[in-house]
Amino acid sequence: MGEGGIAILPAAPVRIRNRDVEYPYRQDSDFYYVTGFDEPEAVAVLVPKRKRGEFVLFCRERDPEMELWNGIRSGLEGACKDYGADDAFPIGDIDDILPGLLENQPRVYYAMGYYPEFDQRMIGWVNRVRTRSRAGVSSPGEFVALDNVIHEMRLVKSKAELRAMTRAVQISSDAHLRAMAMCRPGMTEYQVEAELSYAFKRSGSRRPAYPSIVAGGANACVLHYTDNNDTLRDGDLLLIDAGAEYDYYASDITRTFPVNGRFSKAQRALYEVVLEAQQAAIEQVKPGNHWNAPHEAAVEVLAEGLVALGLMKGSAKNIIKKERYRKFYVHRTGHWLGMDVHDVGDYKIGGEWRVLEPGMVMTVEPGLYVGSGDKQVARKWWNIGIRIEDDVLVTRDGHKVLTSAVPKAVDEIEAVVGSG
Ligand code: GLY
Ligand code: MN
Ligand code: MN
């Protein structure tokens, strides 16, 4: 920020689920990144060179009666002692104090549009400063998108962040292994989901990073299937896309395996194309390569595989050029991963794909999804949906697959499924 500016970040609001029940509270990722403070009703203010302290935290005061109902609060003292605030004020006093902090600041760093109610309050505070112009007070002349600044920081992970991500990945890997081992024909998708949830919670993950996808047979062709209420049939594949969140960091793993523990010939043929595409994509993850290199590598293998298996006619080159592979592969090969499962950070800089740097974490997740009913496609391929997804860290000399503990080779998978 340099000098001469003020940054303002609100905590995530509490949301009502129904009547007296709230959704489980999760702090805003940017707010948590900056403060480590996980209570609602808080506002962090950063004022470089402020004499009485640069980090100001507005938060709830201690309140024995409220704490009896809802649990302990940090209070103003805890904000300073435990969270490193230089100065803390009651959140109820913010209307009186914040306009004063805005006075004579040339720049305001603020992420507009995420919390509309807070946007309105910001406008009110800025207007309060404007009314003091005849007293010689100057109001902010520049508004800078704080999200852009923080998101560039979040894109490159620190050692502490990688420790949290490694833990999230370990918990998820154990959960996937457990789900594979417990899987049997005749179980429901939600029963397999229960194994994942149990494994997450038991290891200290308080919530999944996103709703778990447990999709048997044709359901795997629905990319964000979350009904998870079908019965798993002998002879079908099961696609599980699930990742734990640990200390606000996400993991994101997909494995696809046969419900009965044995790939059919067609399932195996298609699976091996996706696996080869994934391995080719992972090879492209290294510093200096651009963001899209893994996707391009994956698409090349997928297109060649579709031709070799007779699912598509023509040359792989033409299929890629005309994007005809999109009939079986509509999504992209990955995304940034961090505090949010689809994490922040630009994918293009100045119109060009971004160059990978050590400390960035991304997913690599190609797939093939063959629906039913298309007469051009032989019946044996119908209703097969496959995705294989790993979390990959860009390192100084290449990459590290963080999720390598979960089997993905055909023989390794067949050895685990149904063994528990
Ligand atoms: N689980 C969502 C995704 O893989 O992007
Ligand atoms: Mn993903
Ligand atoms: Mn996923």
Side-chain angles (χ1 to χ4, degrees), residues 294-327:
H295 181 65
E296 287 165 4
V299 162
E300 199 170 319
V301 176
L302 293 177
E304 281 163 7
L306 288 167
V307 173
L309 295 180
L311 273 137
M312 293 198 101
K313 294 197 171 49
S315 72
K317 213 170 142 197
N318 186 270
I319 288 169
I320 294 165
K321 197 165 146 223
K322 298 264 160 63
E323 296 193 353
R324 282 170 52 215
Y325 60 82
R326 288 177 57 84
K327 180 172 174 186

Side-chain angles (χ1 to χ4, degrees), residues 252-274:
D252 184 8
I253 305 178
T254 308
R255 289 294 184 266
T256 310
F257 57 86
V259 168
N260 66 13
R262 289 281 168 268
F263 283 90
S264 73
K265 238 174 113 194
Q267 289 166 349
R268 180 177 180 141
L270 216 53
Y271 184 89
E272 288 191 323
V273 170
V274 177

Side-chain angles (χ1 to χ4, degrees), residues 54-73:
E54 299 184 313
F55 171 24
V56 179
L57 192 58
F58 292 88
C59 63
R60 302 179 305 190
E61 291 174 275
R62 301 294 307 265
D63 180 336
E65 196 186 336
M66 289 306 287
E67 290 178 30
L68 175 70
W69 286 91
N70 298 323
I72 297 233
R73 301 171 168 188

